[in-house]
Amino acid sequence: MFKKDISPGAKSKVKSSVQRAIRTKVTETYPLLAPHIDEIIPKKSQLDLLKLPDRVTLYALDAEPLFFQHMDDALIPHLRVVHQFPNCFSRVRIDRGAIRFVLSGATLMAPGLTSPGGRLPSGKTEGDAAADDPDSRYDGRELEEGEVVVVEAEGKEEACMIGQLRVGTKEVKDKKKGVVIDQGHYLGDGLWRMVMD
């Protein structure tokens, strides 16, 4: 979606009622962000709305991108927000072989998640996971089609991509092939490099 460099289009201020609706939608979609919502979008702040190519809307605060939305799809946090609050999102992990493809804007395919280095939610509840297991953060409920998910890379600290699942994680485990995320925001893409003034 953001493979090429993009320049922001028309910029306008968001009405306070719309801003309240955005805050509510963010806390409903990402319940773990609720304690941090005043940090992300303070009540007395003024959000800016920027029009981007391909019918994408970007919400920014003080020239800092926060969330983007393609038409009427879900509000997706910018990777800078994900890096600031890494434990507030559902996540999957790709293996080392898929990293270069994801960072070049390729579609995320199931083999990158189902191979030995990849991780998908196990379907275990939080209480079933071993506390000292580093992969326990991938435990939890199976993710459904259309959910926003953070993609982490094997051996790396920060998330490298965020996007909406095209298929549920249970189906990915069963089929082990096919497209998982076809459009997303990744490190180094046009949205990441975009300069807002």
Side-chain angles (χ1 to χ4, degrees):
M1 186 183 310
F2 304 111
K3 284 186 183 179
K4 298 179 180 172
D5 286 342
I6 54 177
S7 57
K11 181 178 178 180
S12 60
K13 301 286 184 193
V14 174
K15 289 199 271 185
S16 60
S17 58
V18 175
Q19 188 165 323
R20 280 193 305 274
I22 290 170
R23 284 173 55 100
T24 304
K25 191 167 190 164
V26 167
T27 55
E28 287 172 1
T29 309
Y30 310 103
L32 295 175
L33 270 183
H36 309 288
I37 193 66
D38 286 330
E39 255 182 275
I40 299 168
I41 309 172
K43 286 185 179 180
K44 297 293 182 185
S45 63
Q46 178 62 57
L47 273 182
D48 294 323
L49 179 147
L50 289 93
K51 295 288 186 183
L52 302 179
D54 300 325
R55 296 182 180 174
V56 174
T57 304
L58 177 70
Y59 296 101
L61 178 66
D62 301 328
E64 190 68 32
L66 297 177
F67 297 91
F68 67 94
Q69 183 175 31
H70 181 257
M71 295 170 67
D72 290 330
D73 291 347
L75 275 171
I76 300 176
H78 192 279
L79 275 173
R80 294 183 206 285
V81 174
V82 173
H83 292 164
Q84 197 173 0
F85 305 101
N87 297 322
C88 296
F89 304 96
S90 302
R91 62 183 50 144
V92 296
R93 185 174 82 188
I94 55 173
D95 64 2
R96 292 182 189 278
I99 296 173
R100 67 183 178 132
F101 296 107
V102 166
L103 294 181
S104 66
T107 299
L108 178 59
M109 305 298 281
L113 295 166
T114 58
S115 65
R119 294 288 180 274
L120 288 165
S122 64
K124 297 179 187 175
T125 59
E126 300 292 327
D128 296 343
D132 60 342
D133 182 12
D135 291 338
S136 65
R137 64 182 175 186
Y138 302 103
D139 290 337
R141 65 179 180 78
E142 297 285 351
L143 303 174
E144 302 294 324
E145 177 183 348
E147 282 192 61
V148 175
V149 66
V150 170
V151 179
E152 296 178 337
E154 179 183 14
K156 306 295 180 192
E157 295 292 319
E158 302 286 343
C160 63
M161 181 181 182
I162 187 165
Q164 281 186 298
L165 290 173
R166 288 263 316 266
V167 293
T169 54
K170 185 161 179 41
E171 187 178 340
V172 171
K173 289 181 206 171
D174 293 341
K175 289 187 177 178
K176 296 191 188 310
K177 59 182 174 180
V179 175
V180 179
I181 299 175
D182 61 350
Q183 293 184 9
H185 164 41
Y186 57 92
L187 287 175
D189 68 0
L191 185 58
W192 180 262
R193 291 189 313 263
M194 185 176 70
V195 177
M196 295 172 39
D197 41 359

